[in-house]
Amino acid sequence: MPLPHFLALLAVIIVAAAATVWLAASSGVSLAVLALVVLIAAGVVRLMTRVE
């Protein structure tokens, strides 16, 4: 992957994370609840992509 594409990917990820935190904070969701939802979603995705 060329360096400009990699840096653009990092920038998009950082902006998406900032937008998610901003939207959650502005709607009144606490960061602890947001973190718990993200951890559960990551666990579900991990279990669904598991190859046995």
Side-chain angles (χ1 to χ4, degrees):
M1 177 183 298
L3 183 61
H5 291 167
F6 177 70
L7 294 176
L9 178 66
L10 284 178
V12 167
I13 290 171
I14 290 171
V15 168
T20 301
V21 170
W22 178 74
L23 283 172
S26 67
S27 67
V29 176
S30 70
L31 290 180
V33 171
L34 181 63
L36 185 61
V37 168
V38 169
L39 283 174
I40 290 171
V44 168
V45 169
R46 169 72 171 108
L47 289 174
M48 292 180 72
T49 59
R50 196 169 173 177
V51 176
E52 306 244 359

